Amino acid sequence: MPLPPELTDAVARFAAHREVLVATDFDGALAPLVLDPMSARPVEGAMETLTALSDLPGTTVALVSGRALEPLRELSGADDPIVLVGSHGVESSARPDGLVLTDEQRGLLDHLEEALDRLSEDYPGVRVERKPAGRVVHTRGLSRPLGEEALEAAEALGELHTSLVVTPGKEVVELAVAHVGKGAALVGLARELGADAVLYAGDDVTDEDGFAALADDPDTERAARHLSVRVGDGQTRARFRVADEHELVELFRALLEARAGAVT
Ligand SMILES: [Mg+2]
């Protein structure tokens, strides 16, 4: 189905800016939602079109997902120069160490690491799993009173800092530094690139964070240049809507054509 004329016009205007960031969610935007999350695959033409876009001058393409970075890379098949942003903005392939954390969050993670080293010495047998923005303490295998004590000690580490998020579980406690969110990730990436305009497409509540960040850009002239697209139904702050993954690919094809004409 052809795109509505207002959207075609908006895509043409967007394509004419000097430096642009074209970002999209993965599941439900490029890849249909499926029962087994590891069997999700982009619809036909999606990655080819995005790869061709990413090869154009002044054009950065990014996939922004709640998934961890590595499965996102594997399932999308995306390769450089496409930027991969995973874990709702916590991980980024554009960062040398793969992480989008503030200096404060990095400092907090180091602090947590030291505290967990001490905890592991106090409670031999405790295992510490490293995640991009946190640590998970596992006590499975420890004798009962010792395991429980270790869990309590790990939970108490949540008091190290108010922005530590503590999630207790069965013989496990997760301690994470603050959540980044798709909006903050998008704004951060756009700033690093010096993007004049950002396009963001997505299908879910976490993508609304991205749409809101674009709509609320304090530079109001730049805010007017951003293009936000909700995929499928549901209440949204996005300026435009497409029906499904296939229609989003149609939009990217129209953008590729217009952008190729504008920059080459
Ligand atoms: Mg999604």
Side-chain angles (χ1 to χ4, degrees), residues 239-257:
R239 285 169 59 202
F240 294 96
R241 193 189 295 275
V242 293
D244 56 18
E245 297 85 354
H246 298 280
E247 206 169 292
L248 183 62
V249 174
E250 279 314 306
L251 186 158
F252 288 139
R253 284 203 180 100
L255 177 60
L256 174 62
E257 195 181 325

PDB file of all heavy atoms in Angstrom, residues 239-257:
ATOM      1  N   ARG A 239       4.297  11.371  15.624  1.00  0.00           N
ATOM      2  CA  ARG A 239       3.590  12.245  14.671  1.00  0.00           C
ATOM      3  C   ARG A 239       2.899  11.448  13.567  1.00  0.00           C
ATOM      4  O   ARG A 239       1.925  11.892  12.985  1.00  0.00           O
ATOM      5  CB  ARG A 239       4.576  13.238  14.050  1.00  0.00           C
ATOM      6  CG  ARG A 239       4.978  14.353  15.005  1.00  0.00           C
ATOM      7  CD  ARG A 239       6.142  15.147  14.445  1.00  0.00           C
ATOM      8  NE  ARG A 239       5.847  15.738  13.155  1.00  0.00           N
ATOM      9  CZ  ARG A 239       6.787  16.117  12.274  1.00  0.00           C
ATOM     10  NH1 ARG A 239       8.056  15.958  12.551  1.00  0.00           N
ATOM     11  NH2 ARG A 239       6.441  16.660  11.132  1.00  0.00           N
ATOM     12  N   PHE A 240       3.455  10.284  13.262  1.00  0.00           N
ATOM     13  CA  PHE A 240       2.884   9.483  12.178  1.00  0.00           C
ATOM     14  C   PHE A 240       2.692   8.044  12.620  1.00  0.00           C
ATOM     15  O   PHE A 240       3.236   7.633  13.629  1.00  0.00           O
ATOM     16  CB  PHE A 240       3.806   9.521  10.949  1.00  0.00           C
ATOM     17  CG  PHE A 240       3.893  10.885  10.329  1.00  0.00           C
ATOM     18  CD1 PHE A 240       4.946  11.739  10.657  1.00  0.00           C
ATOM     19  CD2 PHE A 240       2.918  11.334   9.450  1.00  0.00           C
ATOM     20  CE1 PHE A 240       5.024  13.005  10.111  1.00  0.00           C
ATOM     21  CE2 PHE A 240       2.987  12.607   8.897  1.00  0.00           C
ATOM     22  CZ  PHE A 240       4.044  13.448   9.222  1.00  0.00           C
ATOM     23  N   ARG A 241       1.952   7.326  11.804  1.00  0.00           N
ATOM     24  CA  ARG A 241       1.701   5.923  12.110  1.00  0.00           C
ATOM     25  C   ARG A 241       1.758   5.118  10.819  1.00  0.00           C
ATOM     26  O   ARG A 241       1.297   5.577   9.774  1.00  0.00           O
ATOM     27  CB  ARG A 241       0.303   5.785  12.734  1.00  0.00           C
ATOM     28  CG  ARG A 241       0.035   4.431  13.375  1.00  0.00           C
ATOM     29  CD  ARG A 241      -1.428   4.296  13.771  1.00  0.00           C
ATOM     30  NE  ARG A 241      -1.868   5.225  14.806  1.00  0.00           N
ATOM     31  CZ  ARG A 241      -1.734   5.030  16.123  1.00  0.00           C
ATOM     32  NH1 ARG A 241      -1.156   3.957  16.577  1.00  0.00           N
ATOM     33  NH2 ARG A 241      -2.197   5.915  16.978  1.00  0.00           N
ATOM     34  N   VAL A 242       2.359   3.918  10.899  1.00  0.00           N
ATOM     35  CA  VAL A 242       2.257   2.971   9.789  1.00  0.00           C
ATOM     36  C   VAL A 242       1.582   1.716  10.322  1.00  0.00           C
ATOM     37  O   VAL A 242       1.578   1.485  11.533  1.00  0.00           O
ATOM     38  CB  VAL A 242       3.640   2.617   9.169  1.00  0.00           C
ATOM     39  CG1 VAL A 242       4.266   3.820   8.477  1.00  0.00           C
ATOM     40  CG2 VAL A 242       4.594   2.023  10.212  1.00  0.00           C
ATOM     41  N   ALA A 243       1.011   0.909   9.408  1.00  0.00           N
ATOM     42  CA  ALA A 243       0.201  -0.227   9.847  1.00  0.00           C
ATOM     43  C   ALA A 243       1.035  -1.351  10.443  1.00  0.00           C
ATOM     44  O   ALA A 243       0.653  -1.939  11.456  1.00  0.00           O
ATOM     45  CB  ALA A 243      -0.615  -0.757   8.667  1.00  0.00           C
ATOM     46  N   ASP A 244       2.162  -1.652   9.816  1.00  0.00           N
ATOM     47  CA  ASP A 244       2.932  -2.830  10.251  1.00  0.00           C
ATOM     48  C   ASP A 244       4.381  -2.739   9.775  1.00  0.00           C
ATOM     49  O   ASP A 244       4.804  -1.727   9.216  1.00  0.00           O
ATOM     50  CB  ASP A 244       2.270  -4.109   9.717  1.00  0.00           C
ATOM     51  CG  ASP A 244       2.110  -4.101   8.196  1.00  0.00           C
ATOM     52  OD1 ASP A 244       2.804  -3.301   7.514  1.00  0.00           O
ATOM     53  OD2 ASP A 244       1.305  -4.888   7.678  1.00  0.00           O
ATOM     54  N   GLU A 245       5.121  -3.832   9.983  1.00  0.00           N
ATOM     55  CA  GLU A 245       6.551  -3.896   9.636  1.00  0.00           C
ATOM     56  C   GLU A 245       6.759  -3.638   8.147  1.00  0.00           C
ATOM     57  O   GLU A 245       7.722  -2.959   7.761  1.00  0.00           O
ATOM     58  CB  GLU A 245       7.132  -5.274   9.996  1.00  0.00           C
ATOM     59  CG  GLU A 245       7.096  -5.622  11.481  1.00  0.00           C
ATOM     60  CD  GLU A 245       5.776  -6.231  11.938  1.00  0.00           C
ATOM     61  OE1 GLU A 245       4.806  -6.306  11.133  1.00  0.00           O
ATOM     62  OE2 GLU A 245       5.697  -6.654  13.108  1.00  0.00           O
ATOM     63  N   HIS A 246       5.865  -4.179   7.325  1.00  0.00           N
ATOM     64  CA  HIS A 246       6.033  -4.034   5.874  1.00  0.00           C
ATOM     65  C   HIS A 246       5.871  -2.578   5.446  1.00  0.00           C
ATOM     66  O   HIS A 246       6.594  -2.085   4.583  1.00  0.00           O
ATOM     67  CB  HIS A 246       5.040  -4.938   5.125  1.00  0.00           C
ATOM     68  CG  HIS A 246       5.256  -6.384   5.432  1.00  0.00           C
ATOM     69  ND1 HIS A 246       6.247  -7.123   4.842  1.00  0.00           N
ATOM     70  CD2 HIS A 246       4.645  -7.212   6.311  1.00  0.00           C
ATOM     71  CE1 HIS A 246       6.243  -8.351   5.336  1.00  0.00           C
ATOM     72  NE2 HIS A 246       5.267  -8.432   6.230  1.00  0.00           N
ATOM     73  N   GLU A 247       4.923  -1.902   6.075  1.00  0.00           N
ATOM     74  CA  GLU A 247       4.723  -0.498   5.725  1.00  0.00           C
ATOM     75  C   GLU A 247       5.898   0.359   6.217  1.00  0.00           C
ATOM     76  O   GLU A 247       6.258   1.352   5.586  1.00  0.00           O
ATOM     77  CB  GLU A 247       3.392   0.006   6.302  1.00  0.00           C
ATOM     78  CG  GLU A 247       2.830   1.169   5.485  1.00  0.00           C
ATOM     79  CD  GLU A 247       1.400   1.507   5.875  1.00  0.00           C
ATOM     80  OE1 GLU A 247       0.517   0.676   5.598  1.00  0.00           O
ATOM     81  OE2 GLU A 247       1.193   2.589   6.448  1.00  0.00           O
ATOM     82  N   LEU A 248       6.506  -0.058   7.332  1.00  0.00           N
ATOM     83  CA  LEU A 248       7.693   0.671   7.804  1.00  0.00           C
ATOM     84  C   LEU A 248       8.833   0.510   6.793  1.00  0.00           C
ATOM     85  O   LEU A 248       9.562   1.462   6.514  1.00  0.00           O
ATOM     86  CB  LEU A 248       8.123   0.183   9.193  1.00  0.00           C
ATOM     87  CG  LEU A 248       9.314   0.946   9.794  1.00  0.00           C
ATOM     88  CD1 LEU A 248       8.983   2.434   9.997  1.00  0.00           C
ATOM     89  CD2 LEU A 248       9.769   0.321  11.111  1.00  0.00           C
ATOM     90  N   VAL A 249       8.981  -0.686   6.238  1.00  0.00           N
ATOM     91  CA  VAL A 249      10.017  -0.894   5.220  1.00  0.00           C
ATOM     92  C   VAL A 249       9.724  -0.019   3.996  1.00  0.00           C
ATOM     93  O   VAL A 249      10.644   0.566   3.402  1.00  0.00           O
ATOM     94  CB  VAL A 249      10.141  -2.390   4.838  1.00  0.00           C
ATOM     95  CG1 VAL A 249      11.126  -2.566   3.679  1.00  0.00           C
ATOM     96  CG2 VAL A 249      10.604  -3.215   6.030  1.00  0.00           C
ATOM     97  N   GLU A 250       8.434   0.105   3.641  1.00  0.00           N
ATOM     98  CA  GLU A 250       8.057   1.010   2.529  1.00  0.00           C
ATOM     99  C   GLU A 250       8.539   2.425   2.834  1.00  0.00           C
ATOM    100  O   GLU A 250       9.063   3.128   1.955  1.00  0.00           O
ATOM    101  CB  GLU A 250       6.535   1.024   2.329  1.00  0.00           C
ATOM    102  CG  GLU A 250       6.000  -0.141   1.535  1.00  0.00           C
ATOM    103  CD  GLU A 250       6.822  -0.400   0.278  1.00  0.00           C
ATOM    104  OE1 GLU A 250       7.005   0.544  -0.516  1.00  0.00           O
ATOM    105  OE2 GLU A 250       7.318  -1.541   0.128  1.00  0.00           O
ATOM    106  N   LEU A 251       8.343   2.846   4.077  1.00  0.00           N
ATOM    107  CA  LEU A 251       8.785   4.185   4.484  1.00  0.00           C
ATOM    108  C   LEU A 251      10.312   4.306   4.331  1.00  0.00           C
ATOM    109  O   LEU A 251      10.817   5.300   3.802  1.00  0.00           O
ATOM    110  CB  LEU A 251       8.364   4.433   5.935  1.00  0.00           C
ATOM    111  CG  LEU A 251       8.593   5.833   6.522  1.00  0.00           C
ATOM    112  CD1 LEU A 251       7.654   6.050   7.697  1.00  0.00           C
ATOM    113  CD2 LEU A 251      10.019   6.060   6.987  1.00  0.00           C
ATOM    114  N   PHE A 252      11.037   3.282   4.779  1.00  0.00           N
ATOM    115  CA  PHE A 252      12.508   3.328   4.667  1.00  0.00           C
ATOM    116  C   PHE A 252      12.943   3.330   3.200  1.00  0.00           C
ATOM    117  O   PHE A 252      13.922   3.971   2.842  1.00  0.00           O
ATOM    118  CB  PHE A 252      13.152   2.168   5.432  1.00  0.00           C
ATOM    119  CG  PHE A 252      13.079   2.322   6.939  1.00  0.00           C
ATOM    120  CD1 PHE A 252      12.800   1.227   7.758  1.00  0.00           C
ATOM    121  CD2 PHE A 252      13.289   3.559   7.544  1.00  0.00           C
ATOM    122  CE1 PHE A 252      12.736   1.368   9.140  1.00  0.00           C
ATOM    123  CE2 PHE A 252      13.218   3.712   8.928  1.00  0.00           C
ATOM    124  CZ  PHE A 252      12.938   2.612   9.723  1.00  0.00           C
ATOM    125  N   ARG A 253      12.190   2.623   2.350  1.00  0.00           N
ATOM    126  CA  ARG A 253      12.528   2.627   0.919  1.00  0.00           C
ATOM    127  C   ARG A 253      12.345   4.025   0.333  1.00  0.00           C
ATOM    128  O   ARG A 253      13.180   4.504  -0.433  1.00  0.00           O
ATOM    129  CB  ARG A 253      11.637   1.633   0.150  1.00  0.00           C
ATOM    130  CG  ARG A 253      12.042   0.199   0.347  1.00  0.00           C
ATOM    131  CD  ARG A 253      11.541  -0.687  -0.821  1.00  0.00           C
ATOM    132  NE  ARG A 253      11.941  -2.065  -0.603  1.00  0.00           N
ATOM    133  CZ  ARG A 253      11.140  -3.005  -0.117  1.00  0.00           C
ATOM    134  NH1 ARG A 253       9.884  -2.735   0.182  1.00  0.00           N
ATOM    135  NH2 ARG A 253      11.592  -4.235   0.062  1.00  0.00           N
ATOM    136  N   ALA A 254      11.236   4.672   0.723  1.00  0.00           N
ATOM    137  CA  ALA A 254      10.973   6.040   0.241  1.00  0.00           C
ATOM    138  C   ALA A 254      12.063   6.980   0.742  1.00  0.00           C
ATOM    139  O   ALA A 254      12.546   7.856   0.005  1.00  0.00           O
ATOM    140  CB  ALA A 254       9.599   6.503   0.736  1.00  0.00           C
ATOM    141  N   LEU A 255      12.496   6.769   1.986  1.00  0.00           N
ATOM    142  CA  LEU A 255      13.554   7.604   2.557  1.00  0.00           C
ATOM    143  C   LEU A 255      14.869   7.368   1.834  1.00  0.00           C
ATOM    144  O   LEU A 255      15.597   8.313   1.519  1.00  0.00           O
ATOM    145  CB  LEU A 255      13.701   7.314   4.060  1.00  0.00           C
ATOM    146  CG  LEU A 255      14.824   8.056   4.791  1.00  0.00           C
ATOM    147  CD1 LEU A 255      14.627   9.569   4.698  1.00  0.00           C
ATOM    148  CD2 LEU A 255      14.893   7.632   6.254  1.00  0.00           C
ATOM    149  N   LEU A 256      15.174   6.115   1.537  1.00  0.00           N
ATOM    150  CA  LEU A 256      16.412   5.778   0.827  1.00  0.00           C
ATOM    151  C   LEU A 256      16.466   6.487  -0.524  1.00  0.00           C
ATOM    152  O   LEU A 256      17.475   7.087  -0.889  1.00  0.00           O
ATOM    153  CB  LEU A 256      16.503   4.249   0.639  1.00  0.00           C
ATOM    154  CG  LEU A 256      17.670   3.730  -0.203  1.00  0.00           C
ATOM    155  CD1 LEU A 256      19.022   4.076   0.440  1.00  0.00           C
ATOM    156  CD2 LEU A 256      17.561   2.204  -0.384  1.00  0.00           C
ATOM    157  N   GLU A 257      15.354   6.423  -1.220  1.00  0.00           N
ATOM    158  CA  GLU A 257      15.302   7.051  -2.548  1.00  0.00           C
ATOM    159  C   GLU A 257      15.490   8.561  -2.444  1.00  0.00           C
ATOM    160  O   GLU A 257      16.297   9.162  -3.165  1.00  0.00           O
ATOM    161  CB  GLU A 257      13.953   6.712  -3.202  1.00  0.00           C
ATOM    162  CG  GLU A 257      13.940   6.988  -4.693  1.00  0.00           C
ATOM    163  CD  GLU A 257      12.585   6.658  -5.315  1.00  0.00           C
ATOM    164  OE1 GLU A 257      11.946   5.682  -4.862  1.00  0.00           O
ATOM    165  OE2 GLU A 257      12.172   7.398  -6.221  1.00  0.00           O
TER     166      GLU A 257
END
